[in-house]
């Protein structure tokens, strides 16, 4: 029997759309594709909603997006303030700290609940079954067997959208902004980044195995 799943695309700090979307999904296992923070107005509330889902939903999966990796890298000193701000991190800093003064990194680390940092640190790089691979950035068609973080979370592989690409598994990803505000679904590739939290687009879910979409 095929497991019933709901894959949820990029959220980017939009807790209102995330809540609305989750309210429309029936009882099935949830797989979140990453990019929960940055750009949108309320990253802390998004993390709270996800943590609540972790406690009351059946075995949900939370995947890394490149923005979670960037936030953790900024907190650990591996990414500069300017680099993180350029990636949309200012909204996350403001939503946790308010108006920072001098040592932004230390103020953010102090203001962020330890449970939030732990939750984000425990995200997974990918989710895979015999039928599909779900990862924030999809897979690299040049090395489709790679499951390295730099490829499937941090990379960019626009060639997965090529019409003549033939892959042996269904690919489900976020990351690549669909300016149409509609999910991309062709040739076994499904991209669920429809601009939630970034360009006022909806939050999008893919119901599997039905292969139908929900938006809120």
């Amino acid at each position: 029997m095929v497991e019933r799943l709901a894959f949820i695309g990029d959220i980017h700090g939009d807790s209102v759309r995330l809540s609305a979307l989750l309210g429309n999904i029936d009882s099935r296992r949830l797989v979140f594709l990453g990019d929960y923070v940055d750009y949108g107005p309320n990253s802390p509330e998004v993390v709270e909603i996800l943590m609540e889902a972790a406690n009351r939903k059946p075995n949900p999966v939370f995947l890394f997006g490149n923005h979670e990796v960037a936030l953790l890298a900024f907190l650990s000193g591996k990414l500069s303030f300017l680099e993180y701000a350029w990636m949309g991190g200012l909204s996350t800093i403001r939503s946790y700290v308010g108006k920072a003064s001098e040592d932004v990194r230390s103020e953010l680390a102090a203001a962020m609940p330890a449970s939030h940092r732990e939750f984000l640190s425990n995200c997974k790089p990918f989710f895979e079954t015999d039928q599909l691979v779900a990862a924030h950035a999809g897979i690299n068609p040049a090395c489709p067997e790679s499951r390295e973080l730099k490829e499937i979370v941090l990379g960019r592989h626009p060639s997965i959208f090529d019409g003549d690409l033939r892959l042996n598994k269904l690919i489900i990803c976020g990351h690549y902004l669909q300016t149409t505000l509609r999910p991309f679904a062709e040739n076994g590739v499904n991209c669920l980044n429809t601009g939630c939290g970034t360009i006022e687009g909806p939050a999008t879910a893919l119901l599997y195995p039905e292969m139908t979409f929900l938006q809120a």
Side-chain angles (χ1 to χ4, degrees):
M1 185 175 179
V2 177
E3 185 176 22
R4 297 169 69 246
L5 304 166
F7 296 90
I8 298 171
D10 302 39
I11 301 301
H12 282 301
D14 193 332
S15 59
V16 173
R17 286 189 172 93
L18 173 59
S19 292
L21 183 64
L22 292 177
N24 291 330
I25 297 174
D26 59 7
S27 179
R28 61 179 67 211
R29 190 179 187 190
L30 304 178
V31 181
F32 295 86
L33 297 173
D35 277 9
Y36 315 122
V37 301
D38 298 344
Y39 288 115
N42 209 336
S43 292
E45 187 170 335
V46 167
V47 176
E48 286 289 335
I49 292 169
L50 297 177
M51 291 170 60
E52 181 183 351
N55 290 327
R56 62 183 176 84
K57 295 292 185 180
N59 198 23
V61 177
F62 302 95
L63 301 183
F64 274 118
N66 60 304
H67 285 265
E68 286 73 58
V69 174
L71 171 55
L72 294 169
F74 173 62
L75 287 169
S76 68
K78 296 176 183 176
L79 197 69
S80 73
F81 169 75
L82 288 178
E83 289 172 313
Y84 184 50
W86 180 82
M87 291 184 63
L90 282 178
S91 62
T92 300
I93 293 168
R94 290 193 189 103
S95 62
Y96 277 105
V97 177
K99 187 176 181 180
S101 53
E102 295 182 2
D103 189 345
V104 178
R105 180 179 287 110
S106 295
E107 290 182 51
L108 176 59
M112 177 182 287
S115 59
H116 286 206
R117 190 166 180 173
E118 180 181 8
F119 172 82
L120 296 174
S121 298
N122 287 332
C123 289
K124 308 299 182 185
F126 65 94
F127 173 81
E128 186 167 7
T129 70
D130 291 341
Q131 292 78 35
L132 61 86
V133 179
H136 183 65
I139 56 102
N140 183 353
C143 47
E145 302 306 316
S146 174
R147 301 294 181 263
E148 292 187 27
L149 193 78
K150 66 179 182 180
E151 296 282 6
I152 61 174
V153 176
L154 305 179
R156 291 195 70 83
H157 313 298
S159 60
I160 66 173
F161 299 104
D162 290 350
D164 59 352
L165 187 66
R166 295 293 178 266
L167 299 168
N168 61 3
K169 288 190 177 184
L170 185 71
I171 303 300
I172 304 172
C173 65
H175 197 41
Y176 308 94
L177 178 61
Q178 303 300 304
T179 56
T180 61
L181 309 186
R182 304 295 300 174
F184 178 93
E186 294 181 20
N187 301 314
V189 174
N190 295 266
C191 180
L192 309 186
N193 180 7
T194 50
C196 182
T198 54
I199 58 171
E200 296 298 316
T204 296
L206 169 64
L207 305 184
Y208 179 89
E210 299 92 335
M211 299 304 293
T212 58
F213 294 99
L214 289 177
Q215 292 190 304

